[in-house]
Amino acid sequence: MTGPRSVQSLIAPPPIRRVREVAVFRNRFGTLFNDDVIAPSGSTGQYLRWQWNQEGVVVVPVGPGGYALVTSYRYPVHAASLEFPRGGAEGDEGLAAAAARELREETGLVSQTVRPLGVIHADTGILASPIHVFVAQVDAATAQPAQPEAMESLTEPVWVTPEELPRWLSEGRITCGVTWRRSRWSSPVTAHRLESAPGPCRCRYSPGPSDGTADQVLRPCPSRAEHPRSKGAGAVLAA
């Protein structure tokens, strides 16, 4: 038996092909489809997928206190959930502008800078739309009153330090899949520090693969030009 393949060597399996697009529900947020499909084996059936009308955004607020999360009551799970602010673009709004707006509406925090980090898919089994991830540098001292939407139930931002975050994850305090994904990859903590100006970076890093634990050996980052994340190092944490 061979070991797991690297990402570069993965071979894509045969696709499940759509025979007919079947919309079964639609509202101002998106459309639910129950498409007729055919599997590689030749078997036919239906496949559910939800398509948002606009692409999603999630923003990782970073400040002197670490990460800012918001406690949101999520009706589908009938429970409160610690999450990074998220939502979607409105009309022809740019994605970075949407991230800054969602941050301001849900937390009252005003972004000083907003930078893209990448794209994720929250649930590839049913959600067709991508979510664009941004990191925002914020200052809690300049926060304004939050302005949540009518059907949102939120509390004031909760701050967690980079050192506390692995424990919060392991204890189950954070269960939102989108937030979990961004929390496990800790580069958002330092992304706002990677300026073009010369001088040492103020982060610390683990030279080995990130396993999300709090007891990794952390070393000083040599410089912005030689930042360890660019060389495939493990978790990067704020100093």
Side-chain angles (χ1 to χ4, degrees), residues 74-199:
R74 290 299 185 184
Y75 174 78
V77 296
H78 297 290
S81 175
L82 268 176
E83 305 177 0
F84 289 134
R86 57 191 176 97
E90 296 180 350
D92 58 356
E93 181 181 37
L95 293 170
R101 175 183 52 75
E102 291 288 353
L103 172 67
R104 185 175 61 253
E105 290 178 352
E106 295 189 6
T107 68
L109 295 169
V110 179
S111 58
Q112 298 172 342
T113 60
V114 178
R115 300 185 182 185
L117 287 179
V119 178
I120 62 174
H121 287 85
D123 186 342
T124 55
I126 190 169
L127 300 178
S129 306
I131 298 176
H132 298 263
V133 186
F134 293 85
V135 60
Q137 186 172 357
V138 300
D139 183 354
T142 63
Q144 304 173 356
Q147 298 177 318
E149 297 181 4
M151 293 303 294
E152 288 182 320
S153 178
L154 310 171
T155 65
E156 293 185 357
V158 176
W159 290 89
V160 57
T161 67
E163 292 76 18
E164 294 173 320
L165 185 57
R167 178 170 56 83
W168 284 31
L169 293 170
S170 64
E171 292 175 349
R173 298 179 66 176
I174 300 173
T175 60
C176 166
V178 174
T179 303
W180 237 89
R181 175 66 181 88
R182 300 320 308 167
S183 300
R184 295 287 289 186
W185 180 30
S186 49
S187 59
V189 177
T190 54
H192 72 291
R193 301 184 191 273
L194 304 182
E195 307 290 349
S196 58

Side-chain angles (χ1 to χ4, degrees), residues 6-95:
S6 68
V7 173
Q8 292 80 4
S9 65
L10 287 178
I11 300 174
I16 298 172
R17 294 186 293 107
R18 184 184 307 155
V19 177
R20 184 169 67 101
E21 182 175 270
V22 182
V24 295
F25 174 80
R26 182 179 284 112
N27 63 15
R28 66 188 181 94
F29 299 108
T31 304
L32 179 66
F33 296 90
N34 192 27
D35 296 332
D36 294 333
V37 299
I38 182 168
S41 65
S43 300
T44 59
Q46 286 74 42
Y47 214 119
L48 278 174
R49 62 184 172 95
W50 174 261
Q51 178 75 54
W52 294 104
N53 288 338
Q54 299 285 349
E55 294 190 356
V57 296
V58 59
V59 56
V60 182
V62 181
Y67 292 105
L69 299 106
V70 63
T71 305
S72 175
Y73 185 87
R74 290 299 185 184
Y75 174 78
V77 296
H78 297 290
S81 175
L82 268 176
E83 305 177 0
F84 289 134
R86 57 191 176 97
E90 296 180 350
D92 58 356
E93 181 181 37
L95 293 170

